[in-house]
């Protein structure tokens, strides 16, 4: 591990100034420290933000607001979160392990890096870790890789379960940096790899995530998260689906569907949503709508099974959401 310094900061202003000088934010440290031990990441200074007042979880006007330093476990257990956005609680509980969820922050979860094995192997070609070096996964072990949003340069999936739920729920993110504060949809945090997979997100230098805002709509109580994986705990998604349904008088009025484990970023499914509107919430109609999910999908040698698994996972998630309306 490379030597590094740690600055403990007491205000957002101090944090942003320290990060502007080249420091890297650290919250729970559950993933950044691993990457530093493996020397995949080599920051020379860390900015410990844990003393900032960013651990809030509250209902504000028509939004659930979750501070960047709130821990995954406390957000998942929060009564208001469970009441207005059960999808968020379920997505969080399906991630990592109880020990990790106690330490891991919401900001850190959204900023975690890919789990492609070659990204962590210093002697493997990886455009994300070492731009221009190639992509060992394209011809190598790629069963867990993405089928949507890939390029010749990278096909790693975005690993966060929470991000999938937040994208489905049209959440926004509030950030502050040297140029002031701004707010944008969480989907816009993530870049497609294209020919620059080392550029993963749209935060500007030294920008600090303050909180996420999730609109509260009555039908969000139907939200469900289904995660298909190799083992039932402590494992990332092969395919996951977040589904929310608004059904009135036996007809779907609105639908929100987003998926994980298949895209190079959390993947919203507008064609699936559109195909549900005006339909009765039956398995046959869910299957017909879910068939739209694989438009534009491109498989590698080992992940073709996801093209069949994706619509099935969406269908089942929609059925689960339908049971709650
Ligand atoms: C074994 C294992 C299994 C896991 N399984 C899952 C899983 O199934 N699903 C899932 O979703 N996740 C999973 N994770 C990921 C886990 O959720 C993340 O490690 C955790 O959420 C990161 O939070 P943290 O606070 O520890 O982040 P840190 O390690 O402290 O930081 C991570 C990154 O976020 C940046 N950052 C942190 N806070 C901010 C902020 N406020 N503003 C700007 N940048 C910030 C840091 O600079 C760093 O780049 C797993 C992790 C491990 C180790
Ligand atoms: S898929 Fe992406 S992260 Fe994995 S080796 Fe290729 S460039 Fe690196």
């Amino acid at each position: 591990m490379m030597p590094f310094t740690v600055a403990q900061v007491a205000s957002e202003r101090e944090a942003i100034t320290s990060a502007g000088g080249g420091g890297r934010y650290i919250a729970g440290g559950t993933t950044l420290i691993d990457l530093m031990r493996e020397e995949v990441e080599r920051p020379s200074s860390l900015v410990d933000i844990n003393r900032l007042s960013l651990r809030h979880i509250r209902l504000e006007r028509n939004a659930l607001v979750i501070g960047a330093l709130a821990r995954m476990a406390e957000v998942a257990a929060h009564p208001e979160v469970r009441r207005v956005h059960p999808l968020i609680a379920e997505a969080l509980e399906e991630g990592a392990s109880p020990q990790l969820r106690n330490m891991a922050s919401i900001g850190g979860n959204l900023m975690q890096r890919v789990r492609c094995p070659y990204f962590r192997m210093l002697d493997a070609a990886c455009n994300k870790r070492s731009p221009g070096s190639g992509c060992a996964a394209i011809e190598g072990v790629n069963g867990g890789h993405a089928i949507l949003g890939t390029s010749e340069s990278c096909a790693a999936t975005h690993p966060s379960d929470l991000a999938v739920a937040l994208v489905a729920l049209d959440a926004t993110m509030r950030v502050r940096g040297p140029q002031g504060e701004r707010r944008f949809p969480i989907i816009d945090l993530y870049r497609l790899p294209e020919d620059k997979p080392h550029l993963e997100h749209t935060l500007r230098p030294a920008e600090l995530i303050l909180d996420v805002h999730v609109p509260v709509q009555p039908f969000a109580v139907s939200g469900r998260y289904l995660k298909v994986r190799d083992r039932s705990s402590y494992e990332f998604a092969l395919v996951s689906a977040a589904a929310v349904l608004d059904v009135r008088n036996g007809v779907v009025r609105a639908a929100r569907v987003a998926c994980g484990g298949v895209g190079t970023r959390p993947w919203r499914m507008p064609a699936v949503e559109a195909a549900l509107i005006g339909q009765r919430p039956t398995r046959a109609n869910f299957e017909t709508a879910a068939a739209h999910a694989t438009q534009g999908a491109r498989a590698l040698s080992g992940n073709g099974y996801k093209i069949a698994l994706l619509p099935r996972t969406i269908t089942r998630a929609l059925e689960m959401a339908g049971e709650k309306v």
Side-chain angles (χ1 to χ4, degrees):
M1 197 172 190
M2 304 275 291
F4 60 91
T5 60
V6 181
Q8 287 189 314
V9 293
S11 70
E12 288 166 20
R13 181 191 293 263
E14 200 186 338
I16 292 163
T17 305
S18 298
R24 185 76 179 278
Y25 296 129
I26 184 160
T30 61
T31 186
L32 182 55
I33 296 295
D34 272 359
L35 291 167
M36 289 170 65
R37 279 203 198 102
E38 292 165 18
E39 300 204 351
V40 175
E41 300 239 31
R42 299 173 177 204
S44 58
S45 65
L46 297 181
V47 181
D48 179 350
I49 55 176
N50 285 295
R51 291 183 185 172
L52 305 185
S53 302
L54 294 174
R55 214 159 162 163
H56 48 281
I57 306 169
R58 59 178 176 246
L59 279 176
E60 240 177 49
R61 292 184 286 279
N62 286 325
L64 174 68
V65 182
I66 305 173
L69 287 174
R71 271 29 190 183
M72 288 171 72
E74 62 198 19
V75 177
H78 197 281
E80 292 290 35
V81 176
R82 300 184 82 83
R83 185 173 68 82
V84 300
H85 278 311
L87 171 59
I88 292 178
E90 197 166 19
L92 285 167
E93 285 173 339
E94 291 288 295
S97 65
Q99 293 89 340
L100 282 161
R101 294 195 295 269
N102 284 337
M103 279 300 288
S105 69
I106 296 303
N109 183 288
L110 297 175
M111 290 295 287
Q112 64 177 292
R113 305 202 67 193
V114 297
R115 290 277 160 180
C116 169
Y118 301 109
F119 178 64
R120 282 153 207 264
M121 280 180 211
L122 294 187
D123 54 354
C126 174
N127 289 320
K128 194 176 277 297
R129 174 174 33 76
S130 178
S133 62
C135 172
I138 300 286
E139 300 289 328
V141 176
N142 51 39
H145 285 66
I147 53 173
L148 292 163
T150 60
S151 71
E152 297 305 314
S153 301
C154 181
T157 55
H158 192 270
S160 165
D161 294 296
L162 173 66
V164 174
L166 294 179
V167 163
L169 295 168
D170 291 321
T172 58
M173 169 177 278
R174 193 167 63 99
V175 304
R176 182 168 298 155
Q179 281 90 41
E181 195 175 301
R182 66 192 179 104
R183 197 162 136 178
F184 53 84
I186 286 193
I187 185 74
D188 293 342
L189 176 65
Y190 302 110
R191 292 174 186 267
L192 292 174
E194 297 176 328
D195 60 348
K196 294 187 180 65
H198 60 292
L199 302 178
E200 293 177 334
H201 61 77
T202 57
L203 289 191
R204 297 169 187 157
E207 268 186 337
L208 175 71
I209 302 171
L210 303 178
D211 46 31
V212 298
H213 293 235
V214 197
V216 174
Q217 288 155 319
F219 67 88
V221 297
S222 70
R224 293 298 308 269
Y225 189 72
L226 177 62
K227 181 171 175 179
V228 181
R229 47 191 156 165
D230 278 337
R231 58 181 177 207
S232 61
S233 170
Y234 204 39
E235 187 57 284
F236 290 89
L238 294 173
V239 176
S240 69
V244 187
L245 283 177
D246 183 8
V247 178
R248 274 175 273 165
N249 301 323
V251 170
V252 176
R253 304 286 169 185
R256 306 274 187 273
V257 180
C259 293
V262 288
T264 49
R265 62 180 187 181
W267 211 263
R268 185 79 180 252
M269 296 285 176
V272 176
E273 295 172 1
L276 289 164
I277 306 299
Q279 303 297 322
R280 295 177 62 76
T282 62
R283 182 177 172 90
N285 287 336
F286 293 156
E287 278 174 347
T288 304
H292 293 274
T294 52
Q295 281 168 10
R298 213 162 52 125
L300 298 168
S301 55
N303 66 357
Y305 71 94
K306 291 193 180 187
I307 291 182
L309 185 56
L310 173 59
R312 289 181 196 161
T313 307
I314 294 173
T315 300
R316 182 66 195 125
L318 287 167
E319 282 187 313
M320 288 159 56
E323 286 161 12
K324 292 176 77 181
V325 295

